[in-house]
């Protein structure tokens, strides 16, 4: 807007302030009402992630938000089931990556690396095999059983990572171990709210 005199300047300042307040008002409204009524992910993540030592609200929101079913989820049980499926997808992808690394020869050149990868392959293989039972446990309302399986998987992710550290080998799986660990802990945290 072209300002030609003092009066015009005053007017554009006050309309700008009005606009600013209107925008601030809209933002406040959106934070208070929209996510609670339209997208339940943020309030759920604030509840389970706010006090977690293992993952934060952002990790939770990004993980649950990556599954379209989260927008329609209406209970901690639905969110638990979604988190369990995310663990399955992650563990399956990581198991495949480990097999690829072993095939590519992580093994042939370096016996220590081969041993670490082999141990991780077993750990992630077990993780993948536990997941159908874990999903069935959530469906069947056996939340303690599901949480125990997920805790075992979280420990397995740590054990895989620690294997490299103990052997002084640089882990090729730091990102993956971190995701698997946090997703399993997220699923456990969601399961706690079912009781
Ligand atoms: C594994 O989980 C992380 C964290 O949610 C995500 O960023 C990543 O895309 C997932 N990978 C697969 C293959 O699902
Ligand atoms: C790893 O490195 C540390 C310090 O450099 C050394 O004390 C330890 O013996 C090494 N471990 C192995 C398994 O090589
Ligand atoms: C569960 C686990 O061991 N997570 C580790 C994965 O690797 C990163 C990077 O080394 C660590 O910061 C995590 O603690």
């Amino acid at each position: 807007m072209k300002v030609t005199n003092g009066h015009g300047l005053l007017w554009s300042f006050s309309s700008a302030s009005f606009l600013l307040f209107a925008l601030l008002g809209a933002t406040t409204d959106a934070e208070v009402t929209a996510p609670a009524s339209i997208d339940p992910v943020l309030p759920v993540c604030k509840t389970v992630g706010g006090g977690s030592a293992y993952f934060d609200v952002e990790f939770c929101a990004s993980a649950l938000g990556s599954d379209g079913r989260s927008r329609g989820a209406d209970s901690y049980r639905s969110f638990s089931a979604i988190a369990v499926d995310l663990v399955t997808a992650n563990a399956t992808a990581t198991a495949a990556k480990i097999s690829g690394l072993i095939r590519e020869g992580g093994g042939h050149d370096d016996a220590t690396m081969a041993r670490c990868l082999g141990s991780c392959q077993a750990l992630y293989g077990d993780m993948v095999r536990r997941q159908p039972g874990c999903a069935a446990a959530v469906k069947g309302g056996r939340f303690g059983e599901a949480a125990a399986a997920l805790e075992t998987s979280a420990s397995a992710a740590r054990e895989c990572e620690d294997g490299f550290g103990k052997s002084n080998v640089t882990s090729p799986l730091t990102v993956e171990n971190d995701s698997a660990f946090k997703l399993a802990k997220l699923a456990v945290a969601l399961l706690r709210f079912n009781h």
Side-chain angles (χ1 to χ4, degrees):
M1 182 193 287
K2 196 172 157 201
V3 175
T4 50
N5 56 33
H7 189 72
L9 181 62
L10 189 66
W11 166 243
S12 42
F13 175 73
S14 37
S15 28
S17 319
F18 177 78
L19 199 66
L20 183 65
F21 279 108
L23 283 171
L24 285 174
T27 304
T28 307
D29 263 5
E31 273 167 13
V32 172
T33 56
S37 53
I38 296 167
D39 186 351
V41 166
L42 203 54
V44 163
C45 285
K46 280 181 177 163
T47 303
V48 301
S52 173
Y54 304 112
F55 60 88
D56 56 20
V57 176
E58 286 70 27
F59 177 85
C60 171
S62 139
L64 292 179
S66 74
D67 190 315
R69 290 175 297 166
S70 290
R71 268 183 292 284
D74 56 0
S75 64
Y76 279 99
R77 189 174 186 150
S78 330
F79 278 112
S80 303
I82 291 168
V84 166
D85 287 350
L86 291 172
V87 172
T88 305
N90 239 266
T92 305
T94 302
K97 173 168 176 172
I98 295 169
S99 298
L101 288 172
I102 291 174
R103 258 198 317 275
E104 277 161 25
H108 306 301
D109 317 329
D110 182 340
T112 309
M113 175 63 96
R115 188 169 38 72
C116 293
L117 286 173
S119 146
C120 289
Q121 189 178 39
L123 289 164
Y124 276 87
D126 287 346
M127 210 185 287
V128 170
R129 278 187 290 278
R130 261 191 303 276
Q131 283 304 106
C134 183
V138 174
K139 244 187 190 156
R142 301 186 308 279
F143 304 127
E145 182 189 324
L150 291 158
E151 288 288 9
T152 304
S153 293
S155 302
R158 178 147 281 168
E159 194 180 332
C160 163
E161 186 64 20
D162 286 351
F164 296 103
K166 280 184 193 143
S167 307
N168 293 339
V169 172
T170 303
S171 167
L173 299 169
T174 49
V175 174
E176 288 79 7
N177 88 62
D178 215 43
S179 300
F181 180 83
K182 286 179 179 163
L183 285 174
K185 289 292 190 182
L186 167 62
V188 168
L190 288 163
L191 281 167
R192 285 212 182 97
F193 283 87
N194 286 297
H195 296 306

